[in-house]
Amino acid sequence: MNRANWFQVSQEGAKALGALHHYATTGTGLEPGLIHLVFLRTSQLNGCAHCIDVHTRDLIKHGMSVDKIVLVPVWEEAAYLFSDGERAALAWTEEVTRVSETHASDAAYAAALAAFGEQALVELTIVIAAMNAINRMGISFRLKPRAKA
């Protein structure tokens, strides 16, 4: 079944989500590589093929090794590959993306706050929220990955 091209159908809505994405990628004090790592993990948790494709490519452009990228889904088992900040961001990403299950627990919040401080934690949460919103659009309207057969 073909689904609506949400960019065309709701140009103002697409523009609004684009502005949120733009802020997430350029308006925070977070490192671009960390932002794309969070985007990738959020997209993996949500199952957004298009976004997984895009953010894997973005991480490669930012210099992350393929060896490290392929282990993002099991980052806790491969913790030695990830910095303290990356591990804290990945843990908070999972907590926020699965908020219906976790309710953003006090323990997870305290750990993330200790790692990032208040300002960066709010910005990180905006980054996570932005990608969750975009994933929901991409999945709902079956946005295709760039990958070729």
Side-chain angles (χ1 to χ4, degrees):
M1 165 185 278
N2 287 328
R3 300 201 182 189
N5 179 329
W6 66 277
F7 295 98
Q8 292 175 348
V9 172
S10 180
Q11 292 178 5
E12 289 302 311
K15 190 184 297 182
L17 276 177
L20 178 58
H21 182 269
H22 181 75
Y23 176 79
T25 57
T26 65
T28 72
L30 302 172
E31 299 269 334
L34 183 68
I35 292 167
H36 291 292
L37 178 63
V38 166
F39 282 172
L40 175 61
R41 187 65 186 129
T42 303
S43 299
Q44 289 171 337
L45 292 167
N46 289 324
C48 185
H50 173 80
C51 294
I52 291 169
D53 185 17
V54 167
H55 299 298
T56 297
R57 294 170 193 276
D58 289 339
L59 285 168
I60 291 169
K61 285 179 198 168
H62 280 93
M64 186 175 284
S65 72
V66 172
D67 290 343
K68 186 172 175 177
I69 292 169
V70 299
L71 292 171
V72 170
V74 292
W75 65 269
E76 288 177 291
E77 293 177 46
Y80 65 93
L81 290 173
F82 298 90
S83 70
D84 291 344
E86 289 170 333
R87 289 192 306 273
L90 289 165
W92 186 242
T93 297
E94 292 181 3
E95 191 78 12
V96 172
T97 299
R98 294 177 171 147
V99 73
S100 68
E101 300 164 26
T102 68
H103 302 283
S105 73
D106 288 343
Y109 178 82
L113 183 62
F116 288 99
E118 199 169 70
Q119 178 73 33
L121 181 56
V122 169
E123 291 177 345
L124 176 63
T125 307
I126 290 169
V127 167
I128 297 163
M131 188 47 50
N132 271 289
I134 292 166
N135 285 165
R136 277 144 181 78
M137 297 303 291
I139 293 165
S140 298
F141 294 98
R142 301 293 190 264
L143 201 54
K144 302 251 184 292
R146 293 185 206 165
K148 304 291 183 219

